[in-house]
Amino acid sequence: MKIKTLKYAAAVMVLGTIGVTAVSAHSMSTGNADADKRITMMKELGMHMKKIAAVAKGEAKYSAALKKDAAGISEISAAMPDLFPEGSGGEKTRSKPEIWSDAAGFDKAVKDFQMAAAGLVAAVESGDQGQIGAALGATGKTCGGCHKPYRKPEH
């Protein structure tokens, strides 16, 4: 039980960082329509994850509305390959050139996120707080697994 709690706490910490970073670091336009669309989608992703995290932590009660948040995460994961077209990086974005130079690695990271998002949808549909927390942790892990190699640090 303690190991499960520690994993859950680590996942919540990662997801909290994702949500705060998504909202604060990307509040200005980059002048690049593709990058701006991506930033908007990442903000939305962070907000969906934050709502699910509140239920997983016991700060909010489960409701059927949470299914929309899980579906939103899944939809964003499906759109992820199209959110990073060649040339949408640049100085005003946090996207590293490795997204395009290591396309195979980036594609694998996106597929991992898509699989985790599908698991999160199933967990949220179950309504079980433990399953939701575990699936949220797995989803957050894939986010962090992509951020480390493919996202520049915040300035």
Side-chain angles (χ1 to χ4, degrees):
M1 183 70 165
K2 287 184 179 183
I3 291 174
K4 193 174 193 178
T5 303
L6 288 173
K7 287 181 181 179
Y8 171 72
V12 169
M13 214 167 60
V14 167
L15 294 173
T17 302
I18 290 168
V20 170
T21 301
V23 173
S24 65
H26 299 298
S27 59
M28 64 181 186
S29 173
T30 64
N32 177 319
D34 289 323
D36 289 345
K37 178 181 177 182
R38 178 171 61 242
I39 289 165
T40 298
M41 296 290 281
M42 294 299 178
K43 285 181 187 179
E44 186 178 323
L45 175 65
M47 287 185 225
H48 288 309
M49 292 184 85
K50 185 176 179 179
K51 289 178 187 177
I52 295 172
V55 171
K57 291 189 285 186
E59 297 174 352
K61 289 191 176 220
Y62 176 85
S63 74
L66 208 61
K67 293 177 184 179
K68 289 181 182 178
D69 291 299
I73 292 168
S74 184
E75 290 166 12
I76 292 168
S77 77
M80 196 65 66
D82 298 329
L83 294 178
F84 292 88
E86 187 78 39
S88 67
E91 288 302 312
K92 291 186 179 181
T93 75
R94 293 178 64 196
S95 302
K96 286 184 175 180
E98 286 83 350
I99 291 171
W100 301 280
S101 67
D102 178 21
F106 184 72
D107 289 345
K108 182 188 179 321
V110 168
K111 283 181 177 48
D112 290 346
F113 174 50
Q114 291 168 338
M115 293 289 292
L120 181 59
V121 169
V124 168
E125 287 178 1
S126 79
D128 180 86
Q129 184 181 6
Q131 286 183 33
I132 293 169
L136 185 66
T139 305
K141 185 176 179 181
T142 64
C143 291
C146 193
H147 287 177
K148 290 175 187 166
Y150 302 109
R151 184 178 73 166
K152 297 174 193 170
E154 213 171 342
H155 292 92

